[in-house]
Amino acid sequence: MQIPIYINISPFYYTAKMNVLIHVANSSHLQYSQEICDLIFVSAQARGTGIAKRSPEYIEEKMVTGKSVIALDGDRLVGYSYIETWGHKKFVANSGLIVHPDYRGMGIARKIKNRIFELSKTLYPNSKIFSI
C-alpha cells in the first residue's frame, strides 16, 4: 500500500493553508492527463527548453502502470513526474518533472523528485537511476 506524502505549505502570499498530497498515480488520476500535457508544453515554451511533448495516452500509460507520481492540492493539479526505463530495465530515468506555476518556489519540485526517486528504487532496485 502506497502512503501519500503530505506537504503543508503556508507561504506569505497565501492566506489559506494548502494541503498538497503526492501520490503514486493510478487510473483514478487519468482525468489529469491532458492538463499535465498542456503544462509540460507551456512550461517548455516559457523556458525555451527541450522538454519532450507527451500525449495524454502516454501519460495515462504511466499512471495505470504505477510509473509516475502526481501532486494534488485537493483536486487541483500541482505537479507530476514519471519513470522511463531502457536497456532491459538496467537504467531508469526520473523524467517529466513539472510543477504548476502557482506552486513554484515552495519546495514542491524537490518533494516530487524525492518521491519519484523512492518509487524508482522500489520498482527497479537493481537498476542505475538517473534524474533528469
Side-chain angles (χ1 to χ4, degrees), residues 36-45 49-55 58-59 82 84 95-98 132:
I36 290 166
C37 292
D38 294 344
L39 187 56
I40 289 171
F41 179 74
V42 169
S43 294
Q45 280 189 324
T49 60
I51 298 174
K53 186 174 181 181
R54 299 292 183 205
S55 69
Y58 180 86
I59 298 298
Y82 60 87
E84 290 281 4
S95 191
L97 175 63
I98 194 73
I132 300 172

Side-chain angles (χ1 to χ4, degrees), residues 5-121:
I5 298 171
Y6 293 87
I7 308 169
N8 292 316
I9 303 167
S10 185
F12 66 92
Y13 49 87
Y14 284 97
T15 56
K17 191 173 190 180
M18 291 180 269
N19 281 318
V20 176
L21 296 122
I22 301 174
H23 307 271
V24 173
N26 59 49
S27 59
S28 72
H29 301 111
L30 295 176
Q31 66 195 25
Y32 297 100
S33 61
Q34 183 61 57
E35 188 177 356
I36 290 166
C37 292
D38 294 344
L39 187 56
I40 289 171
F41 179 74
V42 169
S43 294
Q45 280 189 324
R47 291 191 168 129
T49 60
I51 298 174
K53 186 174 181 181
R54 299 292 183 205
S55 69
E57 294 79 19
Y58 180 86
I59 298 298
E60 290 168 2
E61 184 270 332
K62 295 296 183 183
M63 290 177 171
V64 298
T65 58
K67 296 178 183 172
S68 64
V69 298
I70 188 167
L72 299 171
D73 183 7
D75 62 356
R76 185 170 184 208
L77 176 66
V78 173
Y80 183 78
S81 185
Y82 60 87
I83 297 170
E84 290 281 4
T85 62
W86 71 95
H88 303 286
K89 299 181 184 174
K90 285 183 174 182
F91 304 100
V92 175
N94 299 326
S95 191
L97 175 63
I98 194 73
V99 174
H100 191 282
D102 292 348
Y103 293 85
R104 291 183 184 156
M106 300 178 196
I108 294 172
R110 183 179 335 107
K111 299 217 184 269
I112 293 171
K113 195 170 220 174
N114 289 341
R115 185 63 187 101
I116 197 73
F117 186 72
E118 290 172 16
L119 181 61
S120 296
K121 289 191 303 186

